[in-house]
Amino acid sequence: MQANTTRGFLWSDVETRTLLNIWGEQDIQTALDGNFRNSFVYRDVSRRLGAMGFERTPEQCRVRIKSLKRQYLLAKEGNLRNNGQYHKICKFYDTMERILSNRPVIDPQEFIECGAGGEEAGEGLEEEEEDGEDAQDGFSESTGDCPLPAETEVKVEYPTVPISVPVKVTVSNNSTSMRSQNSGQPASNLSARTPKRPRKRRANFPVEKLMEQFLEQSAQAEDNFYRVEERRLQAEDRRREMEHARELQMLQMLGQMFSSVSSAAAPSKTSPTVARAPVNSSASSSPSCPRGQSGQVKHPSPRRDCFTQQSRLSSSGPQALVFDRYYSLGSTSHRGMEDDLLSLVKNTVPPLTSKKHKGQDGRIGIIGGCQDYTGAPYFAAISALKAGADLSHVFCTKEAAPVIKSYSPELIVHPVLDSPNAVEEIEKWLPRLHSLVVGPGLGREGLLLKTVKEVIEKSKTRDIPIVIDADGLWLVTQQPSVIQGYHKGILTPNIMEFTRLYQALNREPMDSSDHQHSVMQLSVAMGNLTVVLKGEQDVITDGSKVFTCSLEGSGRRCGGQGDLLSGSMGVFAHWAHSASAAGVIRSVNPSVVAAYGACSLTRQCNSQAFQRHGRSTTTSDMIQEIGSAFKKLFES
């Protein structure tokens, strides 16, 4: 077997113990103590180790012994300082203690500071040679030549040669002491030696200190990252504001240009009068078409044309449809409208203060929930609470009540909707409610629809805002007069529900190419009721102005999103009408402001939930995002 002469070759525990047993024999220790040249000693150690079945070179034996001595001295020094706990780091501490206890005393600190510095990975073997040992060592690692034959035995009769050992000077706080390892060392040599620079000791460096430094550096790096990110976002906001200002300036210039063109091409006195609104910064933020002197009302379509139509109730003169071109810069004007509406919504949100009492920020009533549909009223009620209402009441059937109660203890559930005196039971709660949401999970049973119709009539007399959704819209399709003309009423149909309503009221097919004009026609037919058409872009109108909520949502359309919208809209309706009564909102219908706020919140929740869950997004996931979405939209 060819011996491996590589320094740092791994030693097993059996090999190490065999080496220590050989190295600890009396004749070996005596030869090491009495001779400066000791290469022949380690050749004999290697030969004996080979006789035991372990092929090692003399150099490997010497390096291994040297590493074990260093580990032993480190452990021994640690024992002196820490009550004997450091001997665990040296596996062969007891064996080394038994061998070295009979040898002359060696200062561990001197061995550590003056000895080798680097160590082989995994074994702790030193890279440097002992002082004065390898300089006079006759062993050649490259050729393996030895001055003595390999089979030469170690004899005890070797003459002793005095060894020069440096003096260790230890400086304490109060005194300076000097120890000499060899009493025969001349005093002249002591002053002539230059003290070696002490090496950095890393073996006993506390791990807690390292961890503390690491945590401090990590926290500092994280703070620096957040500061840089905040500056980047601020710069991005400033850039967007500058771009928006430039777009508004261009819009004003175009408005002035088109105004001059329209005034130059004014029609003769005999032609019909057309009221043309110049497009400027205010027009871009409010796409409404004002009433002209001739009584014509312009119904705007922000993307294409603004329709001007004479009143159909007038008995004199034929009906005429006059088109007025509405010029804009596409998304710029819509962005301005949305920003203005978003600011109005923020103004309606009541501040959080400890001076308020329970129920002051909203007590919302949800009418719906039957045996087949229990999730919809829960989604609407819990969304109202998450949006900021203090209390949510659910008026449902007896079969649905236990299920809805099991969903959440925060809801107040009244199982009275199918009772014989349901109207009286609900009516006594109306003075305590700030707004009413009708339809989630209601079903189409005739008895329930009759009860709901009477409850709506009672609520109208108390001037309570009413949001009608889902099966409540089925009731409005059958009997439009139940909510027609009520200025605090809001309808929230999807495209299917909107189609049924439109055809029931106008008795003609809906023009699917222009939803904005169709929504306005339906609102006018319902007595300027606020209508929200849910879709890719939510279209909101009160019959005089058309707004679109184009906040980015997602492609996920799971059941229950409309219930989240109606529940939060009930809360915004209470806040908006309260702000209007206090004079905060004057230029826009409060119901339109409430509808825009609820649509924005629902879309933001959908976007955030989709970013987290992707295709598996559900309404429950969206509800969990209401708090952060509300803060981002209305409290930032």
Side-chain angles (χ1 to χ4, degrees):
M1 174 178 176
Q2 184 179 1
N4 190 345
T5 61
T6 304
R7 300 184 66 181
F9 186 79
L10 298 179
W11 288 68
S12 65
D13 291 350
V14 177
E15 282 184 291
T16 303
R17 293 190 186 278
T18 305
L19 175 66
L20 289 176
N21 291 335
I22 297 172
W23 180 72
E25 293 179 2
Q26 184 64 33
D27 57 344
I28 298 293
Q29 291 296 314
T30 303
L32 289 173
D33 290 340
N35 292 277
F36 188 76
R37 292 176 177 270
N38 55 17
S39 58
F40 63 91
V41 179
Y42 283 103
R43 280 194 294 272
D44 189 64
V45 172
S46 174
R47 185 184 60 78
R48 296 186 188 185
L49 191 63
M52 301 294 293
F54 303 105
E55 296 294 334
R56 293 288 181 176
T57 65
E59 175 68 6
Q60 289 177 336
C61 296
R62 189 190 67 79
V63 171
R64 181 57 173 164
I65 290 296
K66 188 175 180 181
S67 174
L68 292 172
K69 287 171 64 178
R70 180 175 176 80
Q71 295 178 19
Y72 162 75
L73 293 174
L74 285 173
K76 189 170 184 178
E77 183 188 10
N79 287 338
L80 296 176
R81 297 183 180 181
N82 297 277
N83 299 326
Q85 296 297 324
Y86 275 70
H87 71 278
K88 298 179 181 180
I89 68 175
C90 182
K91 183 183 297 185
F92 307 101
Y93 181 86
D94 296 334
T95 305
M96 298 293 293
E97 177 72 16
R98 175 177 54 79
I99 297 172
L100 297 178
S101 59
N102 297 326
R103 299 191 62 179
V105 179
I106 300 176
D107 186 10
Q109 182 67 25
E110 178 183 354
F111 186 84
I112 296 170
E113 294 182 355
C114 299
E119 295 182 359
E120 294 274 345
E123 281 293 313
L125 300 180
E126 302 175 10
E127 294 292 325
E128 298 178 3
E129 307 296 334
E130 290 184 310
D131 296 337
E133 180 178 305
D134 286 352
Q136 303 177 17
D137 195 352
F139 175 76
S140 175
E141 186 176 83
S142 60
T143 63
D145 295 336
C146 304
L148 292 178
E151 59 273 4
T152 302
E153 295 286 346
V154 178
K155 302 299 182 180
V156 187
E157 291 80 7
Y158 290 123
T160 59
V161 178
I163 302 174
S164 175
V165 180
V167 177
K168 173 63 180 179
V169 179
T170 304
V171 180
S172 61
N173 294 333
N174 300 323
S175 63
T176 303
S177 62
M178 179 178 298
R179 287 182 305 180
S180 175
Q181 305 257 344
N182 192 346
S183 58
Q185 175 70 29
S188 60
N189 293 339
L190 296 179
S191 60
R193 290 185 60 87
T194 302
K196 291 189 176 182
R197 182 179 180 181
R199 297 180 181 273
K200 292 185 178 180
R201 299 181 57 204
R202 300 184 181 273
N204 295 330
F205 197 76
V207 179
E208 293 80 3
K209 188 67 175 178
L210 288 174
M211 184 59 67
E212 182 180 353
Q213 293 179 358
F214 173 74
L215 293 176
E216 290 178 357
Q217 294 175 359
S218 300
Q220 184 177 4
E222 187 175 0
D223 292 340
N224 292 336
F225 170 76
Y226 285 133
R227 283 195 293 268
V228 172
E229 186 68 13
E230 184 178 0
R231 288 195 294 268
R232 186 187 68 80
L233 293 176
Q234 291 176 356
E236 184 70 15
D237 292 339
R238 289 194 296 268
R239 183 187 64 81
R240 291 178 179 177
E241 291 177 358
M242 294 175 62
E243 289 182 355
H244 185 61
R246 287 196 297 268
E247 290 173 350
L248 289 179
Q249 185 177 5
M250 292 181 62
L251 194 62
Q252 290 177 353
M253 295 174 60
L254 288 174
Q256 295 175 0
M257 180 174 62
F258 287 125
S259 297
S260 60
V261 172
S262 61
S263 60
S268 61
K269 294 183 179 180
T270 58
S271 62
T273 302
V274 178
R276 186 178 301 275
V279 179
N280 49 30
S281 59
S282 60
S284 65
S285 62
S286 177
S288 61
C289 299
R291 230 176 248 280
Q293 295 180 356
S294 61
Q296 299 167 341
V297 181
K298 296 192 296 179
H299 302 281
S301 177
R303 288 186 177 180
R304 292 191 297 273
D305 296 332
C306 187
F307 294 98
T308 304
Q309 184 176 354
Q310 291 184 347
S311 175
R312 295 187 177 184
L313 301 178
S314 176
S315 58
S316 60
Q319 296 181 355
L321 186 62
V322 183
F323 297 95
D324 184 20
R325 179 70 60 183
Y326 177 81
Y327 295 96
S328 67
L329 289 180
S331 60
T332 303
S333 60
H334 290 296
R335 185 70 260 173
M337 289 191 302
E338 293 181 5
D339 290 342
D340 292 342
L341 278 177
L342 200 62
S343 300
L344 289 177
V345 177
K346 291 181 180 180
N347 293 335
T348 64
V349 176
L352 297 176
T353 173
S354 59
K355 297 181 180 180
K356 293 183 179 180
H357 58 79
K358 180 179 66 176
Q360 187 172 351
D361 281 345
R363 297 185 293 270
I364 312 302
I366 311 295
I367 298 181
C370 60
Q371 183 178 5
D372 297 330
Y373 307 108
T374 58
Y378 161 73
F379 286 145
I382 199 67
S383 299
L385 286 179
K386 293 281 188 178
D390 293 338
L391 297 171
S392 280
H393 296 259
V394 179
F395 300 92
C396 61
T397 63
K398 294 180 181 179
E399 293 83 358
V403 182
I404 298 175
K405 286 182 179 180
S406 67
Y407 290 153
S408 174
E410 285 91 357
L411 307 182
I412 305 173
V413 183
H414 307 274
V416 298
L417 193 57
D418 55 348
S419 62
N421 57 341
V423 178
E424 291 77 7
E425 291 292 334
I426 299 175
E427 184 181 8
K428 67 182 182 182
W429 286 97
L430 292 181
R432 308 182 188 182
L433 301 180
H434 290 128
S435 64
L436 205 63
V437 179
V438 179
L442 178 63
R444 299 179 182 179
E445 185 179 345
L447 180 61
L448 297 181
L449 294 178
K450 181 180 178 182
T451 300
V452 168
K453 177 184 177 181
E454 296 182 17
V455 171
I456 292 176
E457 295 292 344
K458 301 287 185 182
S459 302
K460 289 163 59 178
T461 59
R462 294 185 175 275
D463 203 32
I464 299 175
I466 303 174
V467 179
I468 300 182
D469 184 39
D471 292 326
L473 296 172
W474 175 263
L475 173 63
V476 176
T477 303
Q478 306 301 318
Q479 303 179 45
S481 59
V482 69
I483 195 68
Q484 193 170 19
Y486 185 56
H487 69 287
K488 290 187 177 182
I490 304 176
L491 305 182
T492 61
N494 57 28
I495 188 62
M496 297 300 296
E497 295 163 341
F498 177 80
T499 303
R500 285 197 299 264
L501 275 171
Y502 185 90
Q503 293 178 356
L505 289 171
N506 294 297
R507 307 296 180 182
E508 60 183 13
M510 183 186 68
D511 182 10
S512 59
S513 62
D514 191 353
H515 286 166
Q516 295 183 1
H517 182 56
S518 300
V519 172
M520 179 169 288
Q521 284 183 327
L522 178 62
S523 176
V524 171
M526 291 295 297
N528 289 88
L529 201 68
T530 300
V531 179
V532 180
L533 175 58
K534 299 178 289 188
E536 181 181 0
Q537 290 186 346
D538 297 332
V539 183
I540 307 168
T541 183
D542 60 352
S544 61
K545 300 177 182 179
V546 175
F547 303 92
T548 58
C549 181
S550 57
L551 193 69
E552 183 180 1
S554 76
R556 176 63 171 151
R557 293 292 183 268
C558 55
Q561 296 187 49
D563 304 314
L564 190 158
L565 174 68
S566 61
S568 58
M569 193 175 298
V571 182
F572 281 106
H574 163 57
W575 293 346
H577 284 284
S578 298
S580 177
V584 177
I585 301 177
R586 295 179 181 179
S587 59
V588 183
N589 189 338
S591 296
V592 173
V593 176
Y596 186 83
C599 291
S600 301
L601 180 63
T602 304
R603 287 176 168 271
Q604 184 66 30
C605 292
N606 182 261
S607 176
Q608 294 182 189
F610 186 78
Q611 292 176 5
R612 292 176 180 267
H613 305 281
R615 187 175 293 274
S616 63
T617 302
T618 62
T619 302
S620 298
D621 300 326
M622 294 174 56
I623 291 174
Q624 298 301 319
E625 301 292 333
I626 290 179
S628 59
F630 190 98
K631 184 176 182 180
K632 181 177 181 179
L633 289 174
F634 310 121
E635 294 179 346
S636 60

